[in-house]
Amino acid sequence: DGGITQSPKYLFRKEGQNVTLSCEQNLNHDAMYWYRQDPGQGLRLIYYSQIVNDFQKGDIAEGYSVSREKKESFPLTVTSAQKNPTAFYLCASETQGVRGNEQFFGPGTRLTVL
Amino acid sequence: AQTVTQSQPEMSVQEAETVTLSCTYDTSESDYYLFWYKQPPSRQMILVIRQEAYKQQNATENRFSVNFQKAAKSFSLKISDSQLGDAAMYFCAYRRSGTYKYIFGTGTRLKVLA
């Protein structure tokens, strides 16, 4: 089945460690996104990528890094520079369909810093 | 900068009744898209309905419809014949035409009472 997978579902990190969240899609979508979700704040954009080997910072990119070496994959690294990384992280991809642009979301990764 | 505001943190509706969720936005653009997303307890985001700003006709998808008031910059979601499965967080989102960036509101938690 086509879709977006994120792994792991739960992730624990010690302070000072970098950690990488995986996002894979087999929908053949060009655009991919990373969002952070905190209670009461909705979704905030971290990074997005329109095509392979290209990505742009969102509103809260500090302390995060991404790569887009393959169309299917858009991993997010949470670095030790991120002051408060405990949050729920959502990955999405986007297609231009008959109804226009539509984002499809993965199931998310819950990151907890110990 | 564009902003999206959802002023109702939580709403309740009796099963089979109708409920309206509010969303206002601020933009100086004339060409844009508006979306309502549903996030059930599984936390998987699902697109409910979308509206193109250039279309005067309000979008509908089965029991879901919107009241789009462009001049007032208002985009409310009406859910008719509410069902227990409609219980979720609902997010309003904005996207300027020609860009890849989405802006989300803070969400409204909808409870459906049996």
Side-chain angles (χ1 to χ4, degrees), chain A residues 31 33 35 37 40-43 45 48 50 58-59 88 90 94 99-103 105-107 110, chain B residues 33 35 37 39 42-48 50 52 61 91 95 99-107:
Chain A
Y33 301 75
Y35 293 95
Q37 186 176 21
Q41 294 196 45
L43 276 68
L45 181 64
Y48 64 101
Q50 299 175 32
D59 299 317
F88 187 67
L90 282 163
E94 184 178 67
R99 299 195 305 165
N101 295 87
E102 181 173 346
Q103 281 193 329
F105 285 83
R110 174 71 184 178
Chain B
Y33 303 90
F35 306 83
Y37 282 89
Q39 188 179 42
S42 67
R43 306 199 77 170
Q44 180 91 44
M45 295 279 285
I46 304 163
L47 177 65
V48 175
R50 56 173 278 145
E52 291 86 350
E61 287 286 344
F91 292 95
R95 171 182 164 151
T99 71
Y100 283 80
K101 186 176 176 181
Y102 289 74
I103 299 171
F104 285 81
T106 53

Side-chain angles (χ1 to χ4, degrees), chain A residues 61-107:
Chain A
E62 185 176 352
Y64 299 97
S65 66
V66 293
S67 63
R68 187 83 189 277
E69 298 176 0
K70 299 186 300 181
K71 189 175 186 178
E72 301 80 16
S73 179
F74 191 41
L76 174 74
T77 297
V78 184
T79 74
S80 57
Q82 170 51 233
K83 296 289 186 277
N84 183 22
T86 294
F88 187 67
Y89 291 86
L90 282 163
C91 178
S93 67
E94 184 178 67
T95 184
Q96 179 82 31
V98 292
R99 299 195 305 165
N101 295 87
E102 181 173 346
Q103 281 193 329
F104 293 81
F105 285 83

Side-chain angles (χ1 to χ4, degrees), chain B residues 1-93:
Chain B
Q2 295 92 0
T3 58
V4 175
T5 302
Q6 293 179 250
S7 58
Q8 306 155 316
E10 190 171 294
M11 293 280 286
S12 295
V13 62
Q14 205 70 33
E15 196 176 4
E17 296 296 310
T18 296
V19 65
T20 298
L21 308 184
S22 300
C23 173
T24 59
Y25 57 96
D26 186 24
T27 184
S28 58
E29 304 293 332
S30 60
D31 193 9
Y32 51 87
Y33 303 90
L34 296 164
F35 306 83
W36 278 99
Y37 282 89
K38 172 184 178 181
Q39 188 179 42
S42 67
R43 306 199 77 170
Q44 180 91 44
M45 295 279 285
I46 304 163
L47 177 65
V48 175
I49 200 166
R50 56 173 278 145
Q51 173 80 42
E52 291 86 350
Y54 65 85
K55 289 185 178 179
Q56 292 186 332
Q57 187 173 9
N58 290 324
T60 62
E61 287 286 344
N62 301 314
R63 297 183 295 106
F64 299 87
S65 61
V66 299
N67 183 5
F68 174 48
Q69 302 289 329
K70 191 172 184 179
K73 296 180 183 176
S74 172
F75 183 60
S76 60
L77 174 70
K78 185 172 83 171
I79 306 174
S80 305
D81 185 25
S82 297
Q83 301 174 358
L84 294 176
D86 294 332
M89 283 289 288
Y90 286 83
F91 292 95
C92 179

